[in-house]
Amino acid sequence: MAHGVYIFAWEEADGVCTRSYFSKSNRVREGAVEVRDTEGTVLAKGTTDAVGNLCFKGVQARQDLLFILSAGQGHRGEFLLPASLPSAADASESGRKNGQPLSERTAKAPPPPAEPTLKAVTSGLAWIAGLTGLGALYAARRRRK
């Protein structure tokens, strides 16, 4: 999880868009994204922008689409956009509920992992120091005997 990279895709009226991120506040900049169909044929390629977004105009999710993100140094993420989701155009005409298009309600991105807090980091360091101390105490007792 420490080196996880995530990609999420959704359909727009004129294509499909992606968002790529390492964590909530760390987006993937200049990551390579490929769109493939179910047989592995590359349909489109592109590079994410400064905030981790990339849109493929003209690519429609009429079939399952696999988005593959290569973020460098071995970081790789995948996301499958199923063809069963309604398009944004269909949703805007007939699928609105509470002012939100159906496609936005049915396709939610997984939440990014939380940033480690100062309390979590301090607690982890305290555990390491405590375990090191116990190991040193055990080693010193063995030497005395």
Side-chain angles (χ1 to χ4, degrees):
M1 291 301 291
H3 296 284
V5 65
Y6 305 90
I7 183 169
F8 175 70
W10 66 94
E11 188 171 3
E12 296 273 332
D14 57 347
V16 291
C17 292
T18 66
R19 177 167 293 135
S20 304
Y21 49 90
F22 292 105
S23 66
K24 189 174 186 178
S25 62
N26 190 7
R27 301 289 176 92
V28 176
R29 294 169 195 82
E30 298 181 9
V33 178
E34 286 185 353
V35 183
R36 296 183 182 181
D37 62 12
T38 54
E39 287 139 21
T41 305
V42 177
L43 303 175
K45 290 182 180 182
T47 304
T48 60
D49 62 13
V51 292
N53 296 333
L54 174 62
C55 289
F56 297 97
K57 304 296 180 197
V59 175
Q60 297 294 322
R62 303 201 195 303
Q63 59 183 329
D64 290 352
L65 297 176
L66 178 64
F67 294 84
I68 301 172
L69 168 67
S70 297
Q73 298 180 351
H75 294 99
R76 179 184 161 107
E78 294 183 0
F79 182 82
L80 180 66
L81 181 65
S84 61
L85 290 176
S87 70
D90 296 338
S92 64
E93 293 177 15
S94 62
R96 287 197 176 271
K97 180 177 181 182
N98 301 330
Q100 187 179 31
L102 181 62
S103 61
E104 290 180 20
R105 287 185 283 122
T106 57
K108 293 291 182 187
E115 296 286 330
T117 63
L118 179 61
K119 181 180 177 182
V121 171
T122 305
S123 297
L125 292 173
W127 269 98
I128 291 169
L131 292 174
T132 302
L134 284 173
L137 179 65
Y138 178 74
R141 282 189 169 185
R142 289 193 64 172
R143 278 187 237 135
R144 283 188 208 157
K145 288 183 179 183

